[in-house]
Amino acid sequence: MHPRPPLVQALAIWTAVGLATVWLPWTWPLWQGLGLLIAALALGDLLALHRLPDPRITRRMGRALPLGAWSQVTLEVANASDQRLRISVHDLHPGEFAVRGLPADLDLPPQHQGRIDYRLRPPSRGDFPLTGCAVATRSPLGLWRRTRVLPPAQPLRVFPNFAEISRYTLLAASDQLAQLGVRRFRRLGRGAEFHQLREYREGDSLRQIDWKATSRMHKLIAREYQDERDQRLVFLLDCGRRMRHRDQGRGHLDEALNALLLLAYVAVRQGDAVGLMTYGGPQRWFAPRKEPGTVNRLLKGLYDLQPSLEAADPLVAARALLAAMPRRALVVVLTNSRDEDQEGLAQAAQLLRRRHLVVIADLREAALDRALEAPIATLDDALRFHAVHGWLAERQRHQERLRHLGIQVLDLLPAQLPIALVNRYFEIKRAGAL
């Protein structure tokens, strides 16, 4: 129980009258009477507050919230008693979440229900607790306030921003990924799977013409091919300290997960099996599968994955993946490397290349590009430009060495990763390299 401002103000006035009795003795009876009145009102209002029931609260929200996006939460507050309730409600969300619309005040007549809509924006993925709702109830005269924590308490899960991923997947489902920059072509050479017969089109190869069908139909008929199916795609995801870096408020691991889920969706639609192994922190292994629920399985298994403080060892991860994956697959390594990591990354890639086709997606910080684009006006600017340029040149030499060994390397900003990965996947499928 806590006194509210009206009671505090009444006590302040009573105290002032008491001080006035020092110079104005005739105010003594007024001070006594005022004190008795305030005490009677405060005590009666306190007893009335004690008899007021608590409201019943129901929380309605999605089963999971998307990372970095505003999500609506609804609180339904019911007054099942025969007394009027004037309350202030604050849902006890995690402290690091951004919130709009709380706390909220409600005036509930007897047997009525109110509703509070507010919005939450989580800054990170994982499991978080909603410990209940803090409800402050005002007494009938407004002199006291009682605060209690009421149910419901429930766990809250924050997933990667599936709103962004769904935009990609919806376009992929309708074969409109070209709108996002994805280049997709039918593969026309040998080794492709036959898809269908259709009329010959300008630009088709003469080798596509089906002469038997042409003679029957009395017009040119061409064979159309599609990418080979039943292949395997496995992600090797770095969860070490390098992936803790953030660009424009978004973590490199978060961006890698978005790209991973998009490519997994596309690959499953192509009939390929998709798997994943993590290293450099929490170690998780998902064997390759190609059923429709594969992306949901990955999403549920990775939503709470956080970058660790460990130094990732790609060579140890490569050995573990070779033991787990005896059959040939496309292995996509998602990492953020430095000079001191290059030797281990090269050894891991060479080891994997003995059995698999390897693509390394190496993320770099956007601050490096901004440093090269910034105007040079002082000696410090020139030294910074020279240091960044030298570092990137050394990074480029390491990547050229990997390409010379037959390993495909993508040097990307995090925002470029989703479309670049899908493009490279289609290029590999079209070339029959896997």
Side-chain angles (χ1 to χ4, degrees), residues 8-18 31 34 38:
V8 175
Q9 294 169 3
L11 292 174
I13 294 172
W14 179 69
T15 302
V17 173
W31 178 75
L34 185 61
I38 293 174

Side-chain angles (χ1 to χ4, degrees), residues 1 27 35 68 104 108 153 198 205 210 238 246 288 313 315 368 384 400 409:
M1 303 291 182
T27 59
L108 297 176
R198 57 168 173 78
S205 169
D210 189 307
D238 183 355
R246 303 180 71 86
D313 191 337
L315 184 56
L368 299 173
R384 184 182 303 109
E400 288 299 329
V409 182

